[in-house]
Amino acid sequence: FTVANDGSGDFRLPSEALNYISSIPNINTSSNDTQSYIVRILPGIYNETETLNISPNIAVIGESKINTIINFSTNDVNFIALSSYNEIANLTINNNSIIGIPNNNYNFIITTFNCQNTYIHDLLINDFTDNLGNVGFFSIICDNVLLENISLKLGTTSPYNIFNYGIALFESNITINNMSILCGGGIDSNYGIYTEENIYTQSNLILNNCDITCINNNSNYGISHNYGNLYLEMNGGSINANTYNIVFD
């Protein structure tokens, strides 16, 4: 399916294409290793007011991360919800919502929950809104998820923006290649990468050529791990955080 904002494609918005696919009777979107549908997004600016729920075996591919832009302005806290055997690539993703101020919520730009074998790459992600907390990528109970060639920028200097988390992981196995994370603002704390487990679980995180920068006037943590077990491997890249570059509690 093709998405074009001038009406020349099958749909004008990515959400319209994804909602149509999910409505197909007997659709084969179970978690297996065969991708069922590809949604190609042509160059343009797409203003979304709802979550993009991407079912298993669907790829969402933009023309270019420079000229294919999705702006979110929604009352939902999740903007892009991925599942197993997904691919999302070649997009700029902007958060233009302000739901955190009245609701004291966090915004989650990309979420993966209980999924496997998902590929996320070649994205520019920006969230400069005045929300309580901004989270770029949030993963719970996921295996074999690859992030690659991504620029992620979060946070403002507003007193409403309290926390920023570039990446938050819980019981997940993630590899990240060539990613830059910048968390600025956050009048309480910024976390480039935050992981947390219970005493019986473990996350595995491999970083290759990743640069993490956290800057504000209070607490900044490049990589912070709390509870449980974490296997961490870093190859190249850099961490710049004025409180702790890496801390395990």
Side-chain angles (χ1 to χ4, degrees):
F1 297 101
T2 301
V3 177
N5 62 3
D6 63 0
S8 62
D10 302 301
F11 302 94
R12 288 182 177 270
L13 288 173
S15 58
E16 293 174 354
L18 294 168
N19 292 340
Y20 173 79
I21 293 171
S22 66
S23 71
I24 297 174
N26 302 317
I27 183 174
N28 178 23
T29 56
S30 60
S31 294
N32 55 54
D33 59 359
T34 302
Q35 211 158 50
S36 298
Y37 294 93
I38 298 176
V39 176
R40 297 195 180 278
I41 307 176
L42 299 185
I45 297 175
Y46 300 87
N47 296 312
E48 287 285 1
T49 58
E50 62 181 275
T51 297
L52 300 186
N53 290 300
I54 305 177
S55 300
N57 299 321
I58 295 176
V60 177
I61 310 295
E63 181 75 18
S64 163
K65 62 184 177 182
I66 302 301
N67 60 21
T68 311
I69 301 167
I70 301 179
N71 294 324
F72 283 94
S73 180
T74 171
N75 290 324
D76 295 324
V77 296
N78 296 322
F79 298 152
I80 299 177
L82 300 177
S83 49
S84 293
Y85 300 95
N86 285 157
E87 180 181 0
I88 183 168
N90 302 337
L91 297 168
T92 289
I93 301 167
N94 296 320
N95 173 20
N96 294 330
S97 66
I98 54 171
I99 63 170
I101 297 174
N103 297 316
N104 289 326
N105 284 327
Y106 283 78
N107 282 336
F108 301 91
I109 307 302
I110 297 177
T111 61
T112 57
F113 176 70
N114 196 24
C115 76
Q116 59 183 331
N117 300 326
T118 288
Y119 186 26
I120 304 162
H121 63 100
D122 293 286
L123 301 177
L124 302 176
I125 304 173
N126 303 300
D127 189 339
F128 305 127
T129 52
D130 298 336
N131 297 304
L132 171 66
N134 299 311
V135 183
F137 174 74
F138 185 48
S139 177
I140 303 178
I141 315 176
C142 293
D143 186 38
N144 194 26
V145 175
L146 174 60
L147 284 70
E148 195 166 52
N149 302 325
I150 297 173
S151 170
L152 170 63
K153 298 179 181 180
L154 302 177
T156 74
T157 57
S158 164
Y160 294 107
N161 180 215
I162 310 299
F163 302 99
N164 292 296
Y165 297 82
I167 295 173
L169 304 179
F170 300 84
E171 199 174 336
S172 295
N173 299 316
I174 308 290
T175 298
I176 306 174
N177 299 328
N178 304 315
M179 182 171 184
S180 65
I181 300 172
L182 172 62
C183 292
I187 64 172
D188 189 296
S189 300
N190 287 310
Y191 298 86
I193 298 176
Y194 177 86
T195 72
E196 183 174 316
E197 307 294 321
N198 64 47
I199 61 174
Y200 303 108
T201 62
Q202 175 175 317
S203 281
N204 299 295
L205 177 62
I206 300 175
L207 304 175
N208 297 313
N209 299 315
C210 296
D211 296 313
I212 302 170
T213 302
C214 297
I215 49 175
N216 70 1
N217 294 322
N218 200 352
S219 300
N220 294 280
Y221 305 88
I223 300 175
S224 178
H225 174 68
N226 290 300
Y227 313 115
N229 300 302
L230 171 68
Y231 171 80
L232 173 64
E233 179 181 325
M234 294 185 62
N235 302 298
S238 63
I239 300 177
N240 178 19
N242 66 0
T243 306
Y244 294 103
N245 281 346
I246 301 177
V247 59
F248 282 70
D249 291 334

